[in-house]
Amino acid sequence: MASGFLRVQGNQIVNEDGVPVILRGAGLGGWMNMENFITGFPGHESQHREAMKEVLGHKKAEFFFDKFLENFFTAADAKFFATLGLNCIRIAFNYRHFEDDMNPRVLKTSGFKHLDRVVKLCADEGIYTILDMHALPGGQSQDWHSDNVSNYAAFWDYKDHQDRTIWLWEQIAARYKDNPWVAGYNPINEPCDPKHIRLPDFYNRLENRIRKVDEKHILFLDGNTFAMEWKGFDRILPNCAYSIHDYSKMGFPLGDPFKGIPEQIEQLEKQFVRKMEFQIKNNAVVWNGEFGPVYADPEKEDAASEINEQRYNLLETQLKIYEKHKVHWTIWLYKDIGFQGMMHTSPDSLWNRTVGPFVEKKRNLQLDAWGKYASKELEAILAPLVQWVDSVSPTAKATYPTPWSTIHHIQRAVLQTFVAQSMSLEFARLFEGMSLEELEECARSFHFDRCVQRHGLNRRLSSQNKLPN
């Protein structure tokens, strides 16, 4: 039994008895909010689903996606997660499970089928859940993970997108308001408001409306610009935790390797502390909602073992920093096809055998933004264009989002949006002609019993998952 609802007290999260609770866990991404690098498709989830429907037909596509949701997280996953001593899963979901753009403000209760199931499976194992709306109407960021099929975040310019989001959170809060195993709600993942001030204004409106439905649950509020900036924030809302995301370039293929030297460790902590200056100043709860390296594939990289050991060491260093500062965390991510997850599909699974060559093609073309590898061919093509853009428009490189340079904007607009979405049907046709039994076998590739543990990662998470109170 949960010791009542969790709540914010000063800069701590406590249970009903006032005892501090430290949330340690992972993000369940790629499940109710599908992402290209997690399962292998190009572009964006909504395009992927439409392409699969066009190729397979409505009935077979619906059958496959339901079986995918069913197998991706089961009782076995929850039991395993609990054995690691972890106590929190952040469940990422796409608003489209609960509302259609062509039928707004009409709740699709079918969306709760698997969400209810996983919330209960986690509760049965003593695991709290944080409900994370990863994709919002209009797109809250310029990037792929908000299922935004362009590089324009329309959410910020249209009040109706914002009002629909508030309405949907009212429906979700009404459903879970009496569930103490739901730690709280993460209303917007990685918002990117170019003007900054609209985000805190939206949080003020959202908090007021949710509290009329649910007075108990914590709101976990991401900072602006991929949860890294706090411009325009001037106060702390009641019973709210404030979230940062803390990825290090040293955990990715194009970053410098982590050697554990003092300068790198100092850089890691400095980067982390900078992001949470707002929380420190206001004595607020810090939740690190996402972090974590990606990992090299031994079948594709000769130095994979050395690379991965460096990234495990990076992760250990980050976890020690989080322990020092007593923050709550959920690593990204729990399960995928072999790039970053604590669990991943087997290379011998029907899914991996079906999509493997296409995933390699995507990697060579840099169609996925996450963890992309160097490409001399693409560099030769894009470098002159970047140079030309910067020469004719010197301010281009400063275009929001803050961390993006000219090359990032071009890659997002051309490779990861235009080219990637043009290949949606090519990916879907990999499943053309499959029977229902074969489609179910593809979905079962994601079942816990068929997946492979990333032991090095899980061992470190298990040994570093607790803080002294």
Side-chain angles (χ1 to χ4, degrees):
M1 291 289 292
S3 297
F5 287 84
L6 299 183
R7 58 186 171 86
V8 169
Q9 182 175 285
N11 62 4
Q12 294 183 315
I13 291 176
V14 301
N15 64 20
E16 202 165 76
D17 299 322
V19 177
V21 174
I22 303 296
L23 298 176
R24 292 282 187 271
L28 182 57
W31 179 58
M32 285 189 71
N33 187 71
M34 302 181 76
E35 295 190 39
N36 45 40
F37 78 94
I38 297 179
T39 53
F41 64 89
H44 310 87
E45 178 181 7
S46 54
Q47 296 163 337
H48 168 50
R49 286 177 172 271
E50 284 300 312
M52 292 289 277
K53 190 183 298 183
E54 182 173 336
V55 170
L56 297 176
H58 179 81
K59 183 178 178 181
K60 288 176 77 171
E62 288 297 305
F63 172 85
F64 166 73
F65 284 114
D66 186 65
K67 290 297 180 182
F68 169 80
L69 291 170
E70 177 185 310
N71 282 279
F72 199 97
F73 196 93
T74 66
D77 292 282
K79 289 180 185 297
F80 164 71
F81 200 81
T83 66
L84 298 178
L86 301 171
N87 67 355
C88 180
I89 289 182
R90 176 183 181 232
I91 303 177
F93 65 89
N94 191 320
Y95 80 96
R96 290 183 171 92
H97 284 283
F98 302 97
E99 184 197 22
D100 286 328
D101 289 326
M102 297 301 290
N103 195 20
R105 295 178 180 82
V106 176
L107 185 67
K108 295 163 59 179
T109 56
S110 59
F112 290 108
K113 173 183 175 181
H114 290 290
L115 185 57
D116 283 351
R117 177 178 63 83
V118 169
V119 167
K120 185 178 186 304
L121 288 176
C122 290
D124 290 344
E125 298 299 329
I127 300 168
Y128 290 101
T129 48
I130 296 174
L131 307 186
D132 152 38
M133 194 180 290
H134 224 73
L136 278 63
Q140 76 277 15
S141 86
Q142 296 76 9
D143 231 335
W144 84 94
H145 41 75
S146 60
D147 196 17
N148 184 353
V149 299
S150 75
N151 58 354
Y152 166 52
F155 177 85
W156 303 107
D157 290 331
Y158 294 88
K159 186 174 181 292
D160 192 60
H161 290 323
Q162 299 175 23
D163 290 345
R164 283 171 56 195
T165 300
I166 291 173
W167 171 85
L168 183 51
W169 270 115
E170 288 175 324
Q171 314 311 306
I172 295 169
R175 191 175 188 92
Y176 295 107
K177 64 185 176 67
D178 297 320
N179 191 332
W181 282 109
V182 173
Y185 313 129
N186 185 196
I188 310 180
N189 173 68
E190 295 195 347
C192 286
D193 169 22
K195 295 183 179 179
H196 296 281
I197 59 172
R198 293 174 294 189
L199 176 60
D201 287 345
F202 176 75
Y203 281 154
N204 291 339
R205 284 206 298 135
L206 177 73
E207 189 267 344
N208 179 263
R209 292 276 291 275
I210 287 181
R211 293 307 181 209
K212 293 178 181 178
V213 178
D214 181 348
E215 298 179 344
K216 297 178 180 179
H217 281 105
I218 298 170
L219 299 186
F220 294 84
L221 305 179
D222 280 22
N224 198 30
T225 316
F226 308 112
M228 294 191 294
E229 294 185 327
W230 298 98
K231 296 176 183 177
F233 284 77
D234 58 7
R235 67 190 182 102
I236 297 295
L237 296 174
N239 203 29
C240 290
Y242 288 80
S243 172
I244 64 170
H245 291 179
D246 190 41
Y247 291 105
S248 168
K249 291 181 180 179
M250 291 183 283
F252 291 81
L254 300 183
D256 294 330
F258 181 72
K259 301 295 187 181
I261 58 177
E263 291 81 3
Q264 289 179 322
I265 296 172
E266 181 182 353
Q267 176 189 345
L268 282 173
E269 184 165 15
K270 184 178 179 180
Q271 166 186 290
F272 176 68
V273 171
R274 178 196 63 76
K275 293 175 183 176
M276 64 175 190
E277 286 177 350
F278 171 75
Q279 291 93 321
I280 294 171
K281 178 182 178 181
N282 291 278
N283 194 39
V285 171
V286 181
W287 174 47
N288 183 9
E290 289 185 23
F291 66 101
V294 300
Y295 299 97
D297 185 343
E299 295 186 5
K300 296 184 175 66
E301 296 183 61
D302 293 336
S305 179
E306 179 185 352
I307 292 170
N308 289 342
E309 192 61 31
Q310 289 174 347
R311 292 179 187 168
Y312 290 141
N313 292 338
L314 168 66
L315 175 65
E316 277 192 279
T317 302
Q318 287 181 295
L319 291 172
K320 289 176 182 176
I321 291 170
Y322 306 153
E323 181 174 347
K324 174 183 174 181
H325 292 276
K326 297 185 178 181
V327 301
H328 308 264
W329 52 255
T330 46
I331 194 171
W332 193 257
L333 91 137
Y334 176 62
K335 187 182 287 185
D336 65 0
I337 58 173
F339 196 44
Q340 191 173 20
M342 298 164 58
M343 302 285 298
H344 61 84
T345 49
S346 167
D348 299 323
S349 67
L350 180 56
W351 181 267
N352 281 43
R353 286 186 283 117
T354 301
V355 308
F358 187 90
V359 170
E360 184 65 16
K361 180 178 181 178
K362 281 202 307 172
R363 170 176 158 166
N364 293 336
L365 295 175
Q366 294 185 339
L367 298 191
D368 293 348
W370 201 238
K372 62 179 176 284
Y373 284 76
S375 169
K376 292 183 179 179
E377 178 185 7
L378 284 169
E379 184 179 351
I381 294 170
L382 296 178
L385 177 58
V386 171
Q387 185 177 11
W388 177 80
V389 169
D390 285 340
S391 67
V392 298
S393 177
T395 60
K397 62 175 68 71
T399 302
Y400 188 85
T402 311
W404 288 13
S405 61
T406 303
I407 183 62
H408 197 139
H409 282 281
I410 291 172
Q411 288 170 332
R412 171 63 183 149
V414 178
L415 299 178
Q416 298 149 19
T417 300
F418 175 64
V419 178
Q421 68 189 30
S422 75
M423 293 185 175
S424 292
L425 280 174
E426 179 182 341
F427 181 83
R429 290 192 180 108
L430 298 175
F431 304 90
E432 193 168 18
M434 282 193 178
S435 65
L436 292 178
E437 291 76 19
E438 289 171 316
L439 289 171
E440 184 167 8
E441 182 61 23
C442 280
R444 282 191 60 79
S445 299
F446 292 89
H447 193 280
F448 180 85
D449 294 342
R450 304 282 186 90
C451 284
V452 180
Q453 275 200 54
R454 193 175 293 282
H455 290 287
L457 169 58
N458 296 334
R459 186 170 62 251
R460 287 160 174 83
L461 292 176
S462 182
S463 65
Q464 293 281 343
N465 65 41
K466 294 180 181 179
L467 279 178
N469 291 327

